[in-house]
Amino acid sequence: MTADGTGRLEAFSDGVFAIAMTLLVLDMKVPHDLPSGQTLARALVAQWPTYLAFATSFATILIMWVNHHRLFTHIGRGDDGLLFSNGLLLLGVVLVPFPTALVSEYLGRAGQKTAALIYNSTFIAIALCFNLLWRSASTNGRLLRADHDREAVRHITDSFRFGPLFYVIALLVGFFSVTASLAVSCALAIYYALPSRTAAAIGHARPGHSRRV
Amino acid sequence: MTADGTGRLEAFSDGVFAIAMTLLVLDMKVPHDLPSGQTLARALVAQWPTYLAFATSFATILIMWVNHHRLFTHIGRGDDGLLFSNGLLLLGVVLVPFPTALVSEYLGRAGQKTAALIYNSTFIAIALCFNLLWRSASTNGRLLRADHDREAVRHITDSFRFGPLFYVIALLVGFFSVTASLAVSCALAIYYALPSRTAAAIGHARPGHSRRV
Amino acid sequence: MTADGTGRLEAFSDGVFAIAMTLLVLDMKVPHDLPSGQTLARALVAQWPTYLAFATSFATILIMWVNHHRLFTHIGRGDDGLLFSNGLLLLGVVLVPFPTALVSEYLGRAGQKTAALIYNSTFIAIALCFNLLWRSASTNGRLLRADHDREAVRHITDSFRFGPLFYVIALLVGFFSVTASLAVSCALAIYYALPSRTAAAIGHARPGHSRRV
Amino acid sequence: MTADGTGRLEAFSDGVFAIAMTLLVLDMKVPHDLPSGQTLARALVAQWPTYLAFATSFATILIMWVNHHRLFTHIGRGDDGLLFSNGLLLLGVVLVPFPTALVSEYLGRAGQKTAALIYNSTFIAIALCFNLLWRSASTNGRLLRADHDREAVRHITDSFRFGPLFYVIALLVGFFSVTASLAVSCALAIYYALPSRTAAAIGHARPGHSRRV
C-alpha cells in the first residue's frame, strides 16, 4: 500500500483498532421494562459504571492506536517476527471489550476485585506486547527506516521500558482499592499519550520529509 | 499511506465511521413469537420509530463522514492535537448507536423527552468536536496544505461557527415537542451537507491538481 | 489515498461492504438447551433457512462489491452528487442483514411472503442506487477517467439499464412462490457477476496501464 | 490503491479478516446472576472452553491473514476469477465465528463431536479456497508480478498442496478424540505459519525492492 513496506500491516491493524473501539458501544444497554415509578433518566444514571468503563476503554484503545501509529512512523520494513508480535498486540486489543464489560457489570458489587484484576492484566499484557513489537523492530535498528530519527527512537525505547512495571503497580493497588487501581490505569494511558505532545508536531520536525499520520 | 501526511488518520477514521454506521442495523430486530392474529407485516409497521431513528442516524453519520472527508482535503499534516481532537470526534461517532437505540425504544412513550435530549446532546457534542478539530487544524493555517483553497477554508470556518448553537436550539425545542426537535436535527444535518453542493465539484475546481475523494 | 481522486470514497465503501458481509454471521445462532432426544446435528440441520439466507446475502453483497469495484475502475473523480448517491447505495448495503434475518426466521412459516417481499425490495432499491450512482458518474463522462475504456463503460450502462426491472419481476414472482422469487434474486446476482467474466482479465486488457483491483 | 493492481482487493479482504477476528470477542459472555456461593472468578474459570475456542480461532484467522498477505506480495494483477476465489475464501473466514461458538458451547458435552467436525470442516474448506486462490493466480504465473520470486512461489505451491489432506486427517481424528482433533488443527495453523519464518525477512531478501507488508 505504501512503498515503505508496512502499509498493509498498518491498514489491517487500523481495522482491528477501529472495530474493537466501536464494539464497545454494544455494552451500553438501553433500559427495558422500567419498574413503575422509575424514570428513564434515573435508569440511565444508575448505569454509570458502564459509561465509566466505556470511556476508559475507548480512551485507552485510542491512545494505543496513537502509539501504534507513532511506532510505525519509524518502522520501515516488516518481517515475520513483526507480523506475529503485532498479531499478539491485536489479540490484546480485540480482548478489551470483554474485561470492560466485566468491570461495567461488577463495579461496586461482589466480584469487582476479580473484574479490576482482569482489566488491569489485559493492559499489562498489551504493554508487554508493545514492548515486544518495539524491540523486535528497533533492536539494532533492524526494521527501522534508514533515515529514522535516532532521538525519537531512543525516547520511545525509554518510555516503554517501565510501562509494564507501572501497570503491575496499578494491578497491585487493586488489591486494596478497585477505584484507585482504575485511576492508575487511566493515568498510565495519559502518560503514554503525553511524550510526543511535548515533542514538536509530527510531520513538522523534518519539513523536507513526508510523514504519514 | 499518502505522501501528504494524514492518510493513516483518515483510514482509521473511515473504519470507525463505517462500523458505527453498519452497527446501526443491529437495532432493527426481527419480530419473534407473533401474538396470534397479528401478521408479520403489522408487527414490522409497529416498529416505525426504529426505522426513523435508523434513517436519521445513518444519514447523520454519512454527512459527518462527508464533512470529515471535506475537511481533510484541506488538511495536509497532522500533529498530536489533531490526533486527539479527531479521537474525541470519533468518540462521539461511536456513541451514536446508543442514543439512536434510546430514541427508537422510547419514541411515543414515557421517557421520550429524556431520549431526545440525549440524542440531540450527542450531536451538539459532535458539532463541538468538529469545531475543535477544524480550529486546531486551520488556526493560522498551521496544518493546512501549503496550497489550500483559502476561500473554501473560510467558507468551512463560517459554516461551523454557528453549528453548535443551532443544535442547542434543537435541544431546547425538545422540551416542547420531541418530534419538532428531531426534525430540527435532521434539518441541521442537511444544512451541513449543502454548502459544498453549491460549490464546484470536488476535484474539478483545480484541474491540474489531484484531490482525494 | 490515490492520485485519481476517489481513493477515500472507495476505502470507506469497502469498510461498509466488509462489515455488512461479516455481520451476517451474527444471525447464525448456536442452538441452546437441546430438548432431550435431539442431537446437535439435527438441531443444526433444522436451521437450514438461516444458512440459505446467509449464503444468498453473502454472495449478493460480494457481487455488489465486485460491481462497485468495477465501476470505480472507470470513475476518476468525485463530487458531492457521487458522495451522496454512493451513500444511498451504502444505506441499502447496510440494511441487508435485516431482511436476511427476516427471511431466515420466517421462511416456511406464516409471514414468509412479507419477508421475501422485503428481501427483494431491498435488492430493487440497491439496483436503483447502482443506476443512480453510475448515471451521476457516467453521464457525458463527467466523472470518468480521462482515459476510460469507452466500450466497457457502454457495456456497464447497458447491463444496468434493466437491472431494477428484473428485480421487480423477482418481487412479483414472490406473490406466487417465495422459493421461486428467491431463486430469481440469486440468478440476478449471478447475472450481474457474469458480464466482465467474459471480458478480458482486468488489468490485462491494457497492459501499459495500471489498474486497481 | 497501489499501482500494482490488487490494492483494493487486499484492503477489502483486510477489512473482512479484521472484523471476523474482532467479532470473536462477542462470544465471551460476562457471567450474570451468579448463584449464591459462587465467585466471579470461579464462574469465569468454568468458561475455559470459550477462551480456548477464542484463542484457536483468533490465531487461525491471524495466520490466514499472514498467508493471504504473503500470497499477495507475489500477485501483481487481478481478474474476475481471482475476485471470486478470494470471495469464496472470505466466505470461509466470515463463517469462523459460528463453528467457534459451537465448539465453545459444546466442548465437553454431548454434541462435541458434531461441533468439532464442523469446526474442522470449516478449516478444510478454507484450506481448499486458499489452494483455489493460489492456483488461479499462479498457474503459468498468469497473475504474478512480472518480477516475482520464483523460488518463494514454488515454496508456497508445495506447502499448499498437502494442506487440505492434513485438515482431513484432523477431521478423521475427531471421530476418536475431539481434543486431539482440535490439537491437530492448531498444529496445522502453526505449520502454515512457519515456512517463511525460516525464510529470510520479508522485504529484506531483495533489498533493492519495495515490498508491502
Side-chain angles (χ1 to χ4, degrees), chain C residues 112-122 171 174-175 181:
Chain C
Q112 66 170 348
K113 271 193 190 175
T114 305
L117 199 88
I118 293 169
Y119 192 77
N120 282 321
S121 301
T122 308
L171 186 129
F175 287 101
S181 164

Side-chain angles (χ1 to χ4, degrees), chain D residues 64 89 92 120-135 159-168 188 192:
Chain D
M64 292 193 292
L89 176 64
N120 283 321
S121 301
T122 307
F123 292 129
I124 294 176
I126 293 175
L128 287 171
C129 291
F130 260 119
N131 271 279
L132 189 67
L133 174 68
W134 183 240
R135 247 150 238 236
S159 77
F160 270 37
R161 192 166 290 150
F162 299 107
L165 182 71
F166 290 146
Y167 274 111
V168 169
L188 280 172
Y192 272 116

Side-chain angles (χ1 to χ4, degrees), chain B residues 96-115:
Chain B
V96 168
F98 179 62
T100 303
L102 274 179
V103 165
S104 110
E105 176 86 15
Y106 284 94
L107 193 61
R109 293 169 45 193
Q112 66 170 348
K113 270 190 193 176
T114 306

Side-chain angles (χ1 to χ4, degrees), chain D residues 136-207:
Chain D
S136 94
S138 69
T139 306
N140 304 324
R142 4 190 320 267
L143 301 176
L144 299 183
R145 297 160 71 105
D147 59 348
H148 68 270
D149 179 337
R150 270 157 214 289
E151 199 171 349
V153 164
R154 202 164 343 117
H155 191 72
I156 292 172
T157 305
D158 290 348
S159 77
F160 270 37
R161 192 166 290 150
F162 299 107
L165 182 71
F166 290 146
Y167 274 111
V168 169
I169 293 169
L171 185 129
L172 294 175
V173 168
F175 287 101
F176 303 98
S177 158
V178 167
T179 315
S181 164
L182 295 178
V184 175
S185 277
C186 283
L188 280 172
I190 293 166
Y191 163 80
Y192 272 116
L194 282 185
S196 77
R197 239 197 206 171
T198 59
I202 293 172
H204 201 62
R206 291 140 77 223

Side-chain angles (χ1 to χ4, degrees), chain A residues 27 46-53 97-119 178-179 182, chain D residues 28-36 38-45 47 51:
Chain A
D27 260 328
Q47 293 186 357
W48 67 267
T50 303
Y51 313 134
L52 186 68
F98 180 61
T100 303
L102 275 180
V103 165
S104 110
E105 176 86 15
Y106 285 94
L107 193 61
R109 295 169 45 193
Q112 65 169 347
K113 270 190 192 178
T114 305
L117 198 89
I118 293 169
Y119 192 76
V178 166
T179 315
L182 295 178
Chain D
M28 300 181 65
K29 306 284 187 215
V30 171
H32 294 288
D33 308 314
L34 299 179
S36 72
Q38 202 192 16
T39 62
L40 174 59
R42 217 169 290 166
L44 287 170
V45 169
Q47 293 186 356
Y51 313 135

